Amino acid sequence: MFRQENYDLSAHNTFRMKVRCACFIEYESLEELLSLDLSALPQPVKHIGEGSNLLFTGDFPGTILHSNIEFIKYVDMGFDEVPVMVGAGVHFDDLVAQTCRHGLWGLENLSLIPGEAGAAVVQNIGAYGVEIGDLVSGVVCYDTLERKKVRFSTAECAYAYRDSFFKHQNDRYIVTSVLLRLSRAYKPTLTYKGISERFAGRTDLTPMEVREAIIAIRRDKLPDPDLIGSAGSFFKNPVIDTLCFSSLIDRARARLGPDVQIPHYLLPGGFVKVPAAWLIDSLGLKGAREGGAGLYEKQPLVMVNSDGNASPGDILALESRIVSEVADNWGITLYPEVEHLPGVQA
């Protein structure tokens, strides 16, 4: 187990915020986690993965926990469905790459999403028509209140768009491992336009071919996290009712002309999902800057640490500006997908 006080978190958040925490602990096993008296640590206690969906708003006054539980175990009994047990600390894209090499379908559309397996199932990450919640058979956690190992079924995880049961439990449960159900049967998900066009007519694809196509698309439109600090998509795509969507159409025609086409996705129950990127880009905000923070020039949904020196205040100022302009012009409130961790400004 690794422990250090006044720890630099720059390498533990993909925004590359230059912040510190009072205490940092990295554990290697569930047994090491069980041995910790969390109540005796500097408070609050927060568990993170790679920090790929976090914004530290300042120095964190408490303890940051990080899992180094890394294993991938296959339960291959000769059936089409192949259960895979994964340690929470496994780098998620390493998992995707390995399962694709084994010819297993399921994770390929989630290629190149940064983060770790444990955080992925908390956030219910998704891309190109697939969410990780679609593939989860169960989640094993440490219950910090009862101080014991507990298991959750898929139904108990209560997955929804970028949401899960775990996100509403005040960090009570720490994910230690995940059981996924993958398939050797031919199951490509090709609903995304760029993918369906690329593979039109193909019925002999491999998971690795789809993975490589997804990687090419992501690299073309998203910043390389090794070169530019970001937390990926900063805002959730808003889900609105049909009345609100009708109002949006009227506003858009008045501002952009009668022939404007608003991309959208019809959902059950009379709701409509509208791409937050369109709401932002249509206002000419792509590339907007506040201090060292900016919107990525190829994808306005992605906020970046443009020069590597952005402060949490720069990110928050740009967020506030975007939310305000979208609300004023389109009558829709954007909410961040990125979790904000309260901190103390240095």
Side-chain angles (χ1 to χ4, degrees):
M1 185 184 300
F2 172 81
R3 174 171 179 163
Q4 186 171 319
E5 317 299 319
N6 190 29
Y7 187 77
D8 181 3
L9 292 170
S10 301
H12 290 274
N13 73 100
T14 57
F15 250 135
R16 299 183 187 171
M17 293 292 99
K18 297 173 182 176
V19 295
R20 308 182 80 85
C21 62
C23 179
F24 179 86
I25 297 176
E26 186 173 71
Y27 56 90
E28 303 288 332
S29 65
L30 174 60
E31 290 69 30
E32 287 190 352
L33 178 59
L34 289 167
S35 73
L36 292 171
D37 181 0
L38 301 185
S39 65
L41 298 173
Q43 301 294 311
V45 176
K46 176 67 178 179
H47 196 284
I48 68 170
E50 290 184 354
S52 58
N53 199 55
L54 295 175
L55 172 63
F56 285 98
T57 62
D59 288 337
F60 190 72
T63 301
I64 294 293
L65 298 179
H66 180 255
S67 171
N68 208 21
I69 300 176
E70 300 181 1
F71 65 85
I72 303 174
K73 297 179 180 179
Y74 298 85
V75 185
D76 191 346
M77 300 180 66
F79 299 108
D80 282 345
E81 184 172 286
V82 179
V84 182
M85 183 65 79
V86 185
V90 170
H91 180 65
F92 187 75
D93 195 55
D94 289 346
L95 169 66
V96 179
Q98 186 179 122
T99 60
C100 287
R101 284 195 297 270
H102 287 310
L104 297 177
W105 292 96
L107 296 175
E108 60 281 350
N109 286 37
L110 304 180
S111 293
L112 218 60
I113 294 180
E116 295 174 358
V121 298
V122 172
Q123 176 69 11
N124 190 22
I125 62 170
Y128 306 108
V130 175
E131 292 183 338
I132 189 67
D134 301 331
L135 304 165
V136 170
S137 284
V139 177
V140 180
C141 297
Y142 171 55
D143 182 342
T144 62
L145 185 61
E146 298 291 335
R147 299 192 68 177
K148 65 180 183 180
K149 182 169 71 173
V150 292
R151 296 175 176 85
F152 293 91
S153 67
T154 306
E156 290 170 327
C157 292
Y159 283 120
Y161 172 61
R162 300 299 179 272
D163 197 18
S164 72
F165 164 82
F166 307 108
K167 295 187 72 173
H168 305 277
Q169 301 303 310
N170 296 318
D171 298 313
R172 173 177 173 175
Y173 300 102
I174 296 175
V175 176
T176 57
S177 60
V178 182
L179 180 63
L180 302 173
R181 55 181 183 277
L182 305 184
S183 177
R184 57 164 51 90
Y186 190 74
K187 291 185 177 182
T189 300
L190 307 176
T191 53
Y192 181 74
K193 183 178 179 182
I195 299 296
S196 60
E197 291 176 347
R198 179 179 298 223
F199 294 126
R202 289 281 303 276
T203 59
D204 59 345
L205 294 170
T206 67
M208 188 58 75
E209 284 182 285
V210 177
R211 168 177 165 77
E212 290 170 351
I214 294 292
I215 288 175
I217 291 171
R218 290 183 67 89
R219 284 181 171 162
D220 182 61
K221 64 188 294 188
L222 298 173
D224 185 338
D226 291 332
L227 301 177
I228 302 175
S230 85
S233 297
F234 193 88
F235 296 103
K236 297 179 181 179
N237 292 318
V239 175
I240 58 179
D241 59 32
T242 52
L243 183 63
C244 184
F245 185 62
S246 179
S247 175
L248 174 62
I249 292 174
D250 292 340
R251 288 174 180 247
R253 286 174 176 170
R255 181 184 179 93
L256 304 173
D259 298 326
V260 64
Q261 297 293 317
I262 302 175
H264 63 280
Y265 309 91
L266 299 178
L267 302 176
F271 290 94
V272 183
K273 182 187 291 186
V274 179
W278 185 89
L279 297 172
I280 297 169
D281 195 23
S282 60
L283 297 176
L285 293 170
K286 186 185 294 182
R289 293 283 298 268
E290 291 286 342
L295 294 184
Y296 191 54
E297 63 271 13
K298 293 183 179 181
Q299 171 51 274
L301 192 55
V302 175
M303 199 176 296
V304 296
N305 183 349
S306 302
D307 59 3
N309 294 306
S311 69
D314 293 339
I315 303 293
L316 293 171
L318 183 54
E319 175 189 356
S320 178
R321 175 182 165 190
I322 299 303
V323 170
S324 178
E325 294 205 27
V326 169
D328 290 346
N329 287 279
W330 299 136
I332 294 175
T333 300
L334 292 181
Y335 294 96
E337 180 177 323
V338 173
E339 181 181 0
H340 295 41
L341 290 187
V344 179
Q345 294 294 323

